[in-house]
Amino acid sequence: MGGLFSKKEHDGGGKKKPEVSSHDKAILELKIQRDKLKQYQKKVDKVIVLEKERARDALKAGKKKQALLLLKKKKYQETLLEKTEGQLLNLEEMVQSIEFSLVEQKVLEGLKSGNAVLEEIHKEMSVEEVERIMDETADNIAYQNEIDELLAGKLTSEDDAAILAELDELAALGAEEATLEMPAVPTDKLPERGEADGDSQVAPAAKAPAGKKRQKELVAAQ
């Protein structure tokens, strides 16, 4: 009997949990990063829309510096989302490759980098930061200068050109809207001076016959 019990114990203890391979871990980590990116993207998209609206408001108020900063921030966010999405797609292709073992180290480094970028995207989801750029208090002006310096090294010359083009486009749109809001100029022809005085000259002429008739009645009565 001892042998029977010992066999059962041996069989029960012999079951091992399936090991999670580095490949499985990479797939799981990729899924987590993709889900985070989708979640962050929805929130950042709302911030981007708000930034463009505030840039238009700033231009209307004559605050070109704030408008330019908002568009720089918007461009950086768009570039960041696009870059992260492309990086995740590239990692996904590498993970699905049959030669995963050869690129495993690159994938792990890419996943680590992806987490860092996602953290950076997470910082860009604040609506309050957009409003701080519009505010002209001393503290917020210092904050605006800080943001401007941070973005200076993260945008390419092509990005800068695109930002200036968008700024000009918003300025032109604002000028067009301002023109449409102006009161319409009258198109009716103004009456000539002679025509305007005509009514006042007709009345005495109409009364003249009545005056002569009255004079004749007075003469007859005498």
Side-chain angles (χ1 to χ4, degrees), residues 168-221:
D168 291 340
E169 184 182 343
L170 287 179
L173 184 61
E176 184 180 346
E177 290 177 351
T179 303
L180 293 174
E181 290 172 0
M182 291 178 64
V185 178
T187 56
D188 295 339
K189 183 181 177 182
L190 295 173
E192 298 291 338
R193 183 176 179 80
E195 293 176 359
D197 296 339
D199 293 342
S200 60
Q201 294 174 357
V202 171
K207 292 179 180 179
K212 289 182 179 180
K213 183 178 180 182
R214 179 63 178 165
Q215 187 176 5
K216 287 179 181 181
E217 289 176 351
L218 289 173
V219 172

Side-chain angles (χ1 to χ4, degrees), residues 18 49 55 60 70 73 76 99 117 120 135 152 163 187 192 199:
V49 171
K60 288 180 181 179
L70 285 163
K73 200 166 183 294
Y76 168 67
E99 299 178 346
V117 175
E120 198 168 349
D135 201 337
I163 290 164
T187 56
E192 298 291 338
D199 293 342

Side-chain angles (χ1 to χ4, degrees), residues 132-152:
R132 285 188 69 181
I133 292 176
M134 292 294 290
D135 201 337
E136 291 188 323
T137 61
D139 288 343
N140 287 333
I141 289 175
Y143 169 75
Q144 292 164 22
N145 293 333
E146 181 184 349
I147 293 295
D148 200 15
E149 290 176 5
L150 287 172
L151 292 175

